[in-house]
């Protein structure tokens, strides 16, 4: 009786619940009861999972869960809810190492980034950590960064989701490339995708010139075989700076020329052996010129018009998914709030 009395009092505190009346008296009562019970269980499960994964209890747990609810409110339209918001908050706390930095806005942004790139909460949290702690980005700037990268990838004709996952999964290279600006970061990731590689795989070509002795030996072999005039010291300095784009532009003078292609055709066996020393196979060397030309063409094209992050998510949703999202956006925040009140008032 006491629990029912508390539930009744909590019911009155929820604004907008009268919208259920549109279903008719009996329908509203039945639907409301079912949804409320379901949401009470989801609130309880989310709080428990959050506490288990983060070790938070008491007031700290309550503060973080408040942010989880705020984040979930911006996620319902995209087929996500309290459960996903809780998982995202947990991943962010783990990556950032500070629960106080986890806000509803950051939860919503990183959850949508994960959804847009087809990745996990951990991947988007790792990306956010790199951008926030490494470069002082805010939640809106994290969203803008993801939009910029995915827009450039789409306009370049490569899989934007794959590019974003590559960036998210390699925090070291992302930190190095971002220090040169977002444009450099985007070009490097897209170039790797066009080569059919990850950024780490693509870096192996640059790293082949890290040692000055090896750089001189490899450069001499390339110049002798292809009749080129590459500068070993220049390639070595680029490798030290991890300038992947610079290195590839230099090598394109060899592989992107008609003379270079002719040499590949004439002696593929030796070309394959030589390419292995710099992380390239025959296919890589053949497509080198086209990849660099495509990259340059895209970079010179209009890039001001950004594709919104939500657009990448919506394109993968059916009409039914969108309708469900619209309904959830209206009602789920109400039931999340009610479920929270019930959880705190009738728990043992």
């Amino acid at each position: 009786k006491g629990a029912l009395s508390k539930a009744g009092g909590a019911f009155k505190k929820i604004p907008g619940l009268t919208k259920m009346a549109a279903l008719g008296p009996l329908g509203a009562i039945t639907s409301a009861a079912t949804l409320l019970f379901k949401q009470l269980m989801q609130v309880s499960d989310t709080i428990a999972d959050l506490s288990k994964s983060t070790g938070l209890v008491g007031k700290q747990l309550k503060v973080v869960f408040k942010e989880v609810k705020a984040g979930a409110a911006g996620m319902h339209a995209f087929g996500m809810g309290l459960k996903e918001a809780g998982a995202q908050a947990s991943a962010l706390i783990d990556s950032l190492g500070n629960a106080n930095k986890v806000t509803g806005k950051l939860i919503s942004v990183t959850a949508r980034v994960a959804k847009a790139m087809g990745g996990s909460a951990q991947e988007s949290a790792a990306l956010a950590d790199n951008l926030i702690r490494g470069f002082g980005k805010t939640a809106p700037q994290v969203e803008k960064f993801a939009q910029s990268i995915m827009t450039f990838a789409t306009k370049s004709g490569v899989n934007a989701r794959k590019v974003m996952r590559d960036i998210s999964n390699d925090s070291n290279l992302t930190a190095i490339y971002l220090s040169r600006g977002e444009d450099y970061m985007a070009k490097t990731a897209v170039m790797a995708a066009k080569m059919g590689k990850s950024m780490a795989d693509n870096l192996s070509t640059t790293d082949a010139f890290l040692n000055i002795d090896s750089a001189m030996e490899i450069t001499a072999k390339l110049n002798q075989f292809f009749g080129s005039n590459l500068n070993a010291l220049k390639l070595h300095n680029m490798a030290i700076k991890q300038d992947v784009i610079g290195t590839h532009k230099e090598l394109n003078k060899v592989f992107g020329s008609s003379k270079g292609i002719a040499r590949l055709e004439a002696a593929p066996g030796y070309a394959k052996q030589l390419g292995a020393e710099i992380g390239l196979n025959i296919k890589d060397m053949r497509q080198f010129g086209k990849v660099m030309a495509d990259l340059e063409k895209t970079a010179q094209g209009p890039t001001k018009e950004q594709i919104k992050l939500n657009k990448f998510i919506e394109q993968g949703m059916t009409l039914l998914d969108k309708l469900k999202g619209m309904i959830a956006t209206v009602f789920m925040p109400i039931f999340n709030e009610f479920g929270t009140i019930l959880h705190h008032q009738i728990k043992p």
Side-chain angles (χ1 to χ4, degrees), residues 46-80:
T46 302
I47 291 175
D49 290 342
L50 197 57
S51 181
K52 287 177 186 176
S53 61
T54 64
L56 296 176
V57 295
K59 185 179 179 180
Q60 271 191 313
L61 180 60
K62 190 175 289 188
V63 169
V64 172
F65 184 68
K66 183 179 179 181
E67 297 300 330
V68 168
K69 284 191 298 180
M75 296 161 53
H76 294 303
F78 309 106
M80 299 180 285

Side-chain angles (χ1 to χ4, degrees), residues 3-16:
L4 288 174
S5 177
K6 288 178 181 179
F11 187 88
K12 294 176 183 179
K13 297 178 184 179
I14 308 301

Side-chain angles (χ1 to χ4, degrees), residues 114-155:
K115 185 89 170 180
M117 70 179 181
S120 66
Q122 289 72 25
E123 287 174 322
S124 63
L127 175 65
D129 175 44
N130 211 341
L131 295 173
I132 293 170
R133 292 207 287 183
F135 297 91
K137 302 285 187 184
T138 61
Q141 288 173 327
V142 171
E143 180 169 4
K144 186 178 178 183
F145 170 81
Q147 286 178 178
S148 177
I149 296 293
M150 295 187 77
T151 297
F152 184 75
T154 298
K155 291 182 177 180

Side-chain angles (χ1 to χ4, degrees), residues 234-250:
K234 185 176 183 179
L235 287 165
H236 172 62
N237 286 332
M238 287 178 173
I240 290 174
K241 296 174 182 176
Q242 297 286 268
D243 184 2
V244 178
I245 293 178
T247 306
H248 278 63
K249 282 184 176 179
E250 285 299 304

Side-chain angles (χ1 to χ4, degrees), residues 242-312:
Q242 297 286 268
D243 184 2
V244 178
I245 293 178
T247 306
H248 278 63
K249 282 184 176 179
E250 285 299 304
L251 291 175
N252 190 43
K253 296 175 182 177
V254 174
F255 305 126
S257 66
S258 56
K259 184 178 180 181
I261 296 298
R263 293 298 294 158
L264 285 174
E265 298 286 352
Y270 184 71
K272 180 180 71 172
Q273 183 180 352
L274 187 55
E277 294 188 42
I278 54 175
L280 298 173
N281 56 35
I282 294 294
K283 176 188 172 185
D284 295 332
M285 290 184 276
R286 282 181 180 277
Q287 68 178 354
F288 217 95
K290 186 177 184 304
V291 167
M292 298 308 293
D294 285 349
L295 190 67
E296 193 66 30
K297 182 179 178 180
T298 306
Q300 291 175 353
T303 56
K304 288 185 178 180
E305 184 183 346
Q306 296 293 314
I307 302 172
K308 296 296 184 183
L309 184 65
N310 292 349
K311 191 75 173 176
F312 286 100

Side-chain angles (χ1 to χ4, degrees), residues 211-229:
N211 180 282
I212 185 60
D213 292 330
S214 297
M216 292 177 69
E217 182 181 348
I218 293 171
T219 303
K221 289 180 180 179
L222 287 169
N223 286 339
Q224 182 180 12
F225 179 69
F226 289 100
S228 55
N229 191 30

